[in-house]
Amino acid sequence: MFATLHDKLNAVFKKIKGQAKITEDNIKDAVKQVRLALLEADVNYKVVKKFISAVQEKALGEEVLKSLTPDQVFIKIVHDELVNVLGGDDQSTKIKLNPIPPTKIMLVGLQGSGKTTTAGKLAKYFQKNGKDVLLVADDIYRPAAIDQLEILGKQLKVDVFSKRDEQDAVKIAKEAVQHAKSAAKDVVIIDTAGRLHIDETLMEELKNIKEAINPDEILFVADAMTGQDAVNVAKTFNEMLDITGVILTKLDGDARGGAALSIREVTGKPLKFVGTGEKLDAFEPFYPDRMASRILG
Ligand code: GDP
């Protein structure tokens, strides 16, 4: 998919190199290859359309037509436009730490997207930055999810707040924040319940938690392997909860980053971190230029 985009562009420009002059048709041919590669990679068609028209406009400017190395100029235009769509040097990709601790972070997403693992990864990330973290198991439906978070907490030596007998997720969240305040924690990470599909009860519950604790960040955890589905789900979560950012997991798989491009465009919300494996340190801040290079292959 994406891995071959660079090769395809090289092939297009190799043809061109034999000619005396670059023409508009040559550029349109190259643009077409980019378009196909993005569609093949499951990038949302509306996103592709917008992206392509921006690239075409820039590429048809004198820059490429006059250049002695049109292939490189063209690839740079595509790369720069990708960086731009992925957020450029937008500082909103950083986590906003509340000047009055604790900073409250709510993780939301479908079951299996990697929420609980990501809660552990985030805890480790903050721990490395000298922060005292409280992890909160706020999934009242799956005791296994509580077990999973407790195991992660033990591994990281991070406190985990849970209440196995409580059936009210809002109450758990409120109590957890109170506990974090009295224990002078810097960051509270709330792992909420997920479902296999979006349903109203889940959304209501998440909205109620949001209202009750007023989180600094609501991060939507998206599985990069699920392509278009991840985009649609992100859209719904954003409409319901007005998320503040996205964490894209499982980028160690085949996914080349198409989901990153679509989610950013469709929700307008920044990607903040990426997960690149099952281990707790397989996690890094999101860098638009790295993702653009990955997409270009
Ligand atoms: P949750 O249901 O959303 O809490 O998801 P989990 O955290 O339980 O993760 C579901 C599965 O995805 C587990 O097997 C995790 O080990 C795995 N997982 C989570 N993040 C990543 C990642 O970045 N890369 C890979 N390869 N697997 C991941």
Side-chain angles (χ1 to χ4, degrees):
M1 291 198 296
F2 268 132
T4 61
L5 176 56
H6 222 160
D7 297 341
K8 282 182 186 162
L9 289 179
N10 280 338
V12 170
F13 283 105
K14 210 179 248 164
K15 264 196 291 176
I16 295 172
K17 270 180 185 160
Q19 299 172 9
K21 199 170 162 284
I22 303 285
T23 64
E24 284 199 13
D25 281 348
N26 297 143
I27 289 180
K28 282 189 179 146
D29 199 10
V31 167
K32 205 165 120 196
Q33 293 301 328
V34 177
R35 185 171 159 269
L36 283 176
L38 293 175
L39 286 173
E40 270 172 28
D42 218 14
V43 177
N44 180 293
Y45 75 96
K46 281 189 198 151
V47 176
V48 172
K49 207 169 159 202
K50 195 172 157 203
F51 180 81
I52 286 305
S53 74
V55 165
Q56 177 144 332
E57 196 177 304
K58 283 188 189 143
L60 284 176
E62 292 297 287
E63 234 183 321
V64 177
L65 294 174
K66 273 189 182 159
S67 170
L68 291 176
T69 52
D71 48 344
Q72 282 164 32
V73 176
F74 183 78
I75 284 170
K76 187 173 182 312
I77 288 173
V78 177
H79 180 273
D80 290 352
E81 191 55 28
L82 276 175
V83 172
N84 191 18
V85 173
L86 290 167
D89 50 12
D90 183 354
Q91 287 304 307
S92 65
T93 54
K94 307 255 173 4
I95 292 279
K96 273 183 270 140
L97 286 175
N98 196 324
I100 306 164
T103 297
K104 292 163 281 183
I105 301 173
M106 209 174 140
L107 294 183
V108 300
L110 293 186
Q111 193 176 313
S113 60
K115 245 181 308 92
T116 305
T117 310
T118 302
K121 288 175 173 182
L122 254 185
K124 184 164 188 182
Y125 169 85
F126 284 118
Q127 205 179 29
K128 270 201 228 155
N129 287 292
K131 306 286 181 213
D132 194 358
V133 181
L134 179 69
L135 279 168
V136 182
D138 203 6
D139 186 342
I140 52 172
Y141 310 98
R142 288 193 320 130
I146 305 177
D147 299 341
Q148 196 186 341
L149 202 66
E150 282 179 347
I151 291 166
L152 288 173
K154 259 198 200 115
Q155 218 173 311
L156 290 166
K157 298 193 173 64
V158 164
D159 291 340
V160 176
F161 185 96
S162 65
K163 290 199 115 184
R164 285 183 192 264
D165 300 328
E166 179 56 69
Q167 286 305 305
D168 183 344
V170 176
K171 217 164 146 192
I172 297 173
K174 276 204 236 169
E175 281 185 33
V177 170
Q178 270 316 316
H179 176 78
K181 277 183 188 158
S182 53
K185 297 286 180 189
D186 300 307
V187 181
V188 193
I189 301 169
I190 300 159
D191 184 23
T192 62
R195 298 273 212 282
L196 290 175
H197 303 283
I198 296 170
D199 67 53
E200 263 178 43
T201 322
L202 170 69
M203 280 301 173
E204 269 319 300
E205 182 180 296
L206 294 174
K207 275 198 228 170
N208 292 338
I209 296 173
K210 175 185 174 176
E211 215 162 278
I213 64 162
N214 189 24
D216 299 282
E217 295 270 5
I218 302 176
L219 302 176
F220 173 71
V221 179
D223 178 344
M225 304 291 286
T226 58
Q228 284 295 315
D229 278 345
V231 181
N232 295 331
V233 176
K235 189 165 181 273
T236 308
F237 270 80
N238 188 43
E239 281 163 3
M240 298 288 187
L241 294 166
D242 192 17
I243 61 171
T244 61
V246 178
I247 298 180
L248 199 57
T249 65
K250 308 187 193 180
L251 267 177
D252 46 314
D254 286 341
R256 301 296 304 193
L261 195 66
S262 302
I263 290 177
R264 167 78 204 207
E265 265 293 295
V266 167
T267 64
K269 298 296 166 67
L271 280 105
K272 300 213 173 193
F273 288 94
V274 296
T276 55
E278 297 192 54
K279 298 231 168 72
L280 289 178
D281 45 16
F283 189 63
E284 55 191 60
F286 175 76
Y287 298 109
D289 56 339
R290 281 193 207 166
M291 185 63 78
S293 301
R294 177 188 178 115
I295 289 173
L296 278 174

